[in-house]
Amino acid sequence: MNLFKREMKANRKSLIIWSIGVIFMVASGMGKYASMEGTGQSMNALMAEMPKSLQAIMGTGSLDLSTPLGYYGVLFLYLAVMGTIHAAMIGSNIIAKEERDKTIEFLLVKPVSRTRMITSKLLAALVNVLIFNAVTFASSVGMVRKYAEGEDVTGDITLLMVGMLILQLLFLVIGTAIAAIYKHAKKATSLATGILLFLFILSIAIDLNEKLDGFKFLTPFKYYDAKIVLQEGGFEPLYLALSGLLLLGLTIVTYVFYRKRDMNL
């Protein structure tokens, strides 16, 4: 039994639906840019007059909405949320679904160790995340180039997509770790997405209140903020180090707890 192929096949339909959704989101988002392209500067002025809370929710900040790349920076926030939700859901589902669907007994009687089982599942989840990221990257480059009038935007979009990929991987292992620890398999996905939404709301709250700036280390959404990435042309080394530690730690947690877990047959 090839568990990797089994998981890829099981998640194929979901991946196609998510991919179509992100293509539509990029196309519709940049389509709105086309409709306001002629009034870019007035749009900047309009956003500046809006309440700070609305600016934080929209993720505008210091981005220049008169340029396709600046406008895409606003859209990127929601693409990242979409990508991380997909990653958290597939991470928790791919671990918890055997107990939820009562198929774990079938797997456990096979001559496959739990370590090999979890490795195959993680690889399948990783490939799904990479495909989703690649689809987002290709559609983003295509749509932004359409309005960039010859400006080279591939490098900046590549940088943003790398940041998004790290975010996806973080929430993927958050999902797998929760599913490996949590005894109630049916609720693992809800808990993973709940944590994601809390961290997203926290990132918005930090933008709204400077007194909360010290909490930015608690939410990965602040690590790869489009405004900072585009302005500085790279990532903060400290955030990369924190991301690496979280990825390693949560992956270890997934393996350790899944191997020791008492399965609900």
Side-chain angles (χ1 to χ4, degrees):
M1 178 186 62
N2 192 317
L3 190 55
F4 173 79
K5 289 183 178 179
R6 174 178 175 265
E7 294 297 345
M8 288 299 297
K9 184 177 180 180
N11 289 284
R12 181 173 57 194
K13 183 177 179 181
S14 173
L15 178 61
I16 292 172
I17 292 172
W18 277 93
S19 297
I20 292 173
V22 78
I23 291 172
F24 175 78
M25 191 170 180
V26 173
S28 60
M30 293 309 298
K32 290 179 181 178
Y33 169 78
S35 66
M36 48 79 62
E37 187 176 8
T39 59
Q41 294 302 326
S42 60
M43 188 64 170
N44 283 331
L46 178 63
M47 288 303 302
E49 294 174 359
M50 286 185 176
K52 189 177 180 180
S53 57
L54 186 58
Q55 292 183 39
I57 292 171
M58 295 186 68
T60 54
S62 57
L63 293 171
D64 184 2
L65 299 183
S66 67
T67 67
L69 189 61
Y71 190 89
Y72 177 78
V74 175
L75 179 62
F76 173 77
L77 174 64
Y78 299 96
L79 294 176
V81 171
M82 189 174 181
T84 51
I85 289 174
H86 169 260
M89 288 181 67
I90 194 173
S92 56
N93 268 322
I94 211 165
I95 303 298
K97 71 185 182 72
E98 307 297 350
E99 290 179 84
R100 184 193 63 207
D101 299 338
K102 303 301 181 182
T103 57
I104 188 63
E105 189 173 5
F106 169 76
L107 285 180
L108 292 179
V109 298
K110 297 292 182 180
V112 179
S113 67
R114 290 196 185 188
T115 298
R116 184 179 173 187
M117 188 188 303
I118 198 70
T119 299
S120 298
K121 286 175 171 288
L122 283 174
L123 285 174
L126 175 62
V127 171
N128 274 266
V129 165
L130 289 172
I131 292 173
F132 182 92
N133 189 273
V135 171
T136 308
F137 172 74
S139 57
S140 297
V141 170
M143 291 303 299
V144 176
R145 272 183 177 176
K146 181 178 178 181
Y147 302 108
E149 298 178 352
E151 180 185 355
D152 185 15
V153 296
T154 305
D156 288 318
I157 294 177
T158 300
L159 205 58
L160 289 173
M161 285 298 107
V162 170
M164 177 173 159
L165 178 60
I166 298 173
L167 279 173
Q168 288 173 279
L169 295 177
L170 282 171
F171 283 99
L172 172 65
V173 292
I174 286 174
T176 60
I178 289 172
I181 296 171
Y182 203 45
K183 292 183 179 180
H184 304 286
K186 293 181 180 180
K187 298 180 180 179
T189 301
S190 299
L191 182 57
T193 52
I195 290 173
L196 185 154
L197 292 175
F198 170 76
L199 293 176
F200 174 64
I201 292 171
L202 177 60
S203 70
I204 293 176
I206 291 169
D207 286 337
L208 289 173
N209 190 340
E210 293 180 358
K211 294 181 180 179
L212 298 176
D213 195 58
F215 291 99
K216 63 184 178 182
F217 296 103
L218 299 178
T219 170
F221 287 105
K222 297 305 293 179
Y223 297 4
Y224 306 101
D225 192 316
K227 300 184 291 293
I228 298 173
V229 172
L230 291 176
Q231 287 171 3
E232 298 186 0
F235 306 118
E236 177 66 43
L238 177 59
Y239 292 153
L240 287 174
L242 284 173
S243 298
L245 288 173
L246 285 171
L247 284 170
L248 178 61
L250 290 167
T251 301
I252 292 173
V253 166
T254 300
Y255 275 95
V256 170
F257 278 85
Y258 194 77
R259 284 189 302 214
K260 295 180 178 180
R261 185 185 180 97
D262 291 327
M263 300 296 180
N264 296 315
L265 303 178

